[in-house]
Amino acid sequence: MGYVIDEIDQQIMRLLQHSARMSIVQISKEVNMSQPSVKERILKLEENGIISEYSTIYDLEQLNRGTTTFILLKTERCEELVHFCEQAAEVTDLYRISGEYNYLIKVQTATIEELAEFQDSLIKLGPSKSHISVKNIMEHRVLL
């Protein structure tokens, strides 16, 4: 059996999920544990792949990428789609899904016109349906 996460690990993970830049000193105060013990727990979580990476969340409005669109795509050209999405700066996420459409693409663009250009370049891969987000209600939710 793999590494077993206890309540203290969950507390540490919760704190890091809220702020990955939180210092070991601050975390140790929050969980009432010594700094070396906290550091050791974090290292074990990383070594066991439970914490796989740390990331930065950007304000996409500030970066002129505030239009979020979810595109459902039906294609048999799966490898070509993956390559296309890896090269497209607009694509932030790509999911293989079940149902009538087999892919869900999350796209961030500056304008509707930029989205239209992206959609035009996607046509060659298969039929799609686009859903433009009008409001972000919940994103990057803390799961613990």
Side-chain angles (χ1 to χ4, degrees):
M1 181 161 191
Y3 183 78
V4 178
I5 300 169
D6 64 13
E7 180 58 36
I8 293 173
D9 288 333
Q10 286 185 15
Q11 289 175 341
I12 291 169
M13 292 167 59
R14 198 173 298 116
L15 291 166
L16 287 172
Q17 198 167 20
H18 280 289
S19 176
R21 294 184 66 181
M22 184 177 276
S23 69
I24 300 292
V25 173
Q26 184 62 38
I27 294 170
S28 68
K29 288 178 186 174
E30 294 281 338
V31 299
N32 198 26
M33 184 177 271
S34 72
Q35 293 174 36
S37 295
V38 167
K39 183 158 180 74
E40 182 179 328
R41 282 177 174 266
I42 291 172
L43 287 173
K44 283 184 181 176
L45 290 166
E46 291 171 345
E47 288 168 0
N48 285 284
I50 296 163
I51 295 176
S52 62
E53 64 182 63
Y54 298 87
S55 63
T56 303
I57 299 171
Y58 298 103
D59 182 334
L60 295 171
E61 290 286 339
Q62 297 282 342
L63 296 173
N64 203 24
R65 292 272 178 215
T67 301
T68 303
T69 306
F70 298 93
I71 300 173
L72 292 164
L73 180 75
K74 187 187 310 184
T75 188
E76 293 178 4
R77 299 162 67 179
C78 300
E79 287 182 36
E80 190 176 343
L81 172 67
V82 170
H83 179 72
F84 173 84
C85 288
E86 288 172 341
Q87 303 304 311
E90 302 87 353
V91 175
T92 61
D93 298 277
L94 174 63
Y95 299 95
R96 180 79 157 95
I97 60 172
S98 63
E100 180 182 353
Y101 293 86
N102 52 347
Y103 286 92
L104 173 67
I105 308 166
K106 182 179 177 185
V107 176
Q108 297 292 152
T109 57
T111 64
I112 298 300
E113 291 77 17
E114 188 178 318
L115 172 61
E117 289 177 29
F118 177 81
Q119 289 172 316
D120 288 346
S121 64
L122 195 61
I123 287 173
K124 65 183 180 210
L125 295 171
S128 65
K129 284 186 180 180
S130 297
H131 302 275
I132 299 171
S133 172
V134 294
K135 182 178 181 182
N136 180 349
I137 297 169
M138 184 185 318
E139 190 172 51
H140 309 294
R141 183 174 183 202
V142 176
L143 299 176
L144 298 173

